[in-house]
């Protein structure tokens, strides 16, 4: 009887040890081989349209925090796209998607040093219930830092094509599993995606469809040196029906770090990260190659 109790205790301890949060940094190549370095233009899978078929009309939103522009999306629409940039000044913005007055299904806070050099583009998928999109400046932004925001609602055939593209990027590339943090919440697993100067921008698809279909939270930062133009994204999305497809600018040589902010019990999601646009370089850099 004592031996059975001892085995049960050891088994329980082993289980607890295996479920401790993982905060180990792993490095993944953005492209499988350096042969892609000679590519120029947009990286779109064969047979698919580009992710952003239309450049939306841009509207000025004043800085200072609390300045919000609201976009009412009618029922029947299940996808929209937004673009946010500045005139070269810091970009500090918040994007929220609401169903009714109390249910927020998407949240993204942007903090970028130069919104002209690193504009942000994203595609949101949601249930066709009639939603409200709110884009505004944060309290971190002074009155001297206005932003420009544009929203585009694709036509039904365009929406289906964009959905197929998102699925092709997610299913046709290596997906990385990202575990949540401790039971109190906070930074969980860390994933690192390196890039070189042949890559102009990276596209990411975050989705929990195959790993629980629960909501997810992620913290993303772009680093390329001690004096780089900072890019930070604080993201939250709904469950398996909401893939998040976005494009991040990647100037120079550096890396994108992604942290899972949710709990170990329900914070699991997958991410596919691949190049979106290439610079006009014939040869990769000799120093700091992402494939070393």
């Amino acid at each position: 009887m004592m031996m059975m109790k001892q085995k049960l205790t050891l088994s329980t301890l082993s289980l607890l040890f295996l479920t401790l949060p993982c905060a180990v940094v792993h490095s993944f190549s953005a492209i499988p081989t350096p042969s892609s370095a000679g590519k120029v233009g947009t990286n779109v899978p064969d047979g698919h349209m580009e992710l952003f078929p239309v450049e939306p009309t841009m509207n000025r939103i004043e800085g200072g925090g609390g300045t919000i522009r609201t976009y009412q999306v009618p029922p029947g629409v299940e996808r929209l796209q937004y673009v946010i940039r500045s005139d070269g000044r810091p970009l500090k913005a918040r994007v929220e998607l609401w169903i009714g007055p109390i249910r927020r299904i998407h949240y993204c806070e942007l903090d970028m040093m130069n919104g002209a050099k690193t504009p942000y583009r994203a595609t949101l998928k949601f249930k066709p219930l009639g939603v409200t999109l709110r884009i505004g400046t944060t309290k971190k932004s002074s009155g001297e830092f206005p932003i420009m925001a544009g929203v585009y609602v694709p036509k039904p055939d365009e929406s289906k094509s964009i959905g197929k593209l998102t699925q092709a990027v997610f299913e046709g590339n290596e997906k990385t599993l990202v575990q949540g943090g401790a039971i109190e919440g906070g930074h969980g697993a860390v994933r690192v995606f390196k890039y070189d100067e042949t890559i102009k921008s990276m596209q990411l698809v975050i989705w929990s469809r195959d790993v629980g279909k629960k909501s997810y939270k992620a913290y993303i930062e772009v680093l390329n040196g001690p004096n780089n133009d900072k890019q930070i994204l604080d993201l939250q999305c709904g469950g398996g029906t909401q893939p998040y497809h976005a494009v991040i600018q990647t100037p120079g040589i550096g890396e994108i770090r992604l942290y899972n902010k949710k709990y170990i019990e329900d914070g699991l999601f997958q991410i596919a990260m691949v190049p979106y646009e290439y610079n006009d370089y014939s040869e990769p850099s000799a120093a700091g190659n992402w494939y070393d």
Side-chain angles (χ1 to χ4, degrees):
M1 188 68 178
M2 290 294 293
M3 291 179 64
M4 289 182 62
K5 286 184 178 180
Q6 186 177 11
K7 289 182 180 180
L8 179 62
T9 304
L10 290 174
S11 176
T12 305
L13 289 174
S14 300
L15 180 62
L16 290 173
F17 176 76
L18 290 173
T19 55
L20 287 175
C22 175
V24 179
V25 178
H26 298 275
S27 181
F28 297 86
S29 296
I31 313 176
T33 68
S35 60
S36 301
K39 290 186 177 181
V40 179
T42 306
N43 179 26
V44 177
D46 293 338
H48 292 273
M49 64 181 290
E50 291 197 13
L51 179 57
F52 298 94
V54 175
E55 182 70 22
T57 301
M58 305 299 289
N59 298 291
R60 180 185 173 99
I61 302 177
E62 297 299 331
T67 306
I68 298 173
R69 182 174 287 269
T70 302
Y71 302 84
Q72 193 67 43
V73 182
V77 175
E78 63 178 10
R79 185 174 280 105
L80 63 81
Q81 299 180 319
Y82 64 84
V83 180
I84 303 178
R85 62 171 182 255
S86 73
D87 59 359
R89 296 178 179 183
L91 189 160
K92 301 178 186 295
R94 177 183 289 117
V95 182
E96 297 176 314
L97 192 66
W98 292 80
I99 297 178
I102 61 174
R103 186 183 175 194
R104 187 178 70 182
I105 60 174
H106 170 74
Y107 168 86
C108 183
E109 184 166 318
L110 306 172
D111 188 353
M112 301 183 177
M113 191 68 70
N114 186 333
K117 186 177 181 181
T118 58
Y120 188 71
R121 294 174 286 176
T123 296
L124 296 181
K125 169 71 168 60
F126 43 85
K127 294 181 180 179
L129 303 176
V131 299
T132 300
L133 180 71
R134 302 173 63 187
I135 301 178
T137 53
T138 68
K139 293 182 179 180
K140 300 177 183 178
S141 173
S142 71
E144 300 176 354
F145 300 149
I147 63 173
M148 300 294 293
V151 176
Y152 176 66
V153 176
K155 299 175 183 178
D157 56 337
E158 290 178 333
S159 180
K160 291 181 180 179
S161 297
I162 294 171
K164 291 179 181 179
L165 173 60
T166 298
Q167 190 163 337
V169 172
F170 187 72
E171 296 180 350
N173 295 281
E174 181 183 359
K175 295 185 286 292
T176 302
L177 193 66
V178 189
Q179 177 67 61
I183 57 175
E184 295 85 7
H187 285 181
V190 181
R191 298 293 182 260
V192 179
F193 303 85
K194 296 184 178 181
Y195 60 86
D196 66 12
E197 75 273 29
T198 64
I199 301 172
K200 184 178 180 180
S201 61
M202 297 281 285
Q203 61 179 324
L204 59 91
V205 179
I206 303 178
W207 210 345
S208 64
R209 181 192 65 183
D210 301 329
V211 287
K213 300 183 179 181
K214 296 186 178 181
S215 63
Y216 50 87
K217 295 181 181 180
Y219 183 87
I220 304 170
E221 55 185 358
V222 183
L223 305 170
N224 60 353
N227 298 316
N228 64 313
D229 290 322
K230 178 178 63 176
Q231 294 186 74
I232 295 176
L233 293 79
D234 195 350
L235 172 69
Q236 177 182 350
C237 275
T241 60
Q242 278 193 267
Y244 187 71
H245 197 170
V247 173
I248 298 175
Q249 303 302 309
T250 54
I253 302 173
E255 62 186 35
I256 299 173
R257 291 184 185 177
L258 181 142
Y259 307 82
N260 191 325
K261 290 182 62 180
K262 285 204 74 178
Y263 306 99
I264 193 169
E265 297 93 342
D266 69 344
L268 205 60
F269 64 79
Q270 291 177 304
I271 178 172
M273 179 88 71
V274 293
Y276 181 68
E277 297 167 300
Y278 294 94
N279 286 312
D280 188 6
Y281 287 109
S282 58
E283 296 293 337
S285 170
N289 290 324
W290 45 261
Y291 49 82
D292 286 341

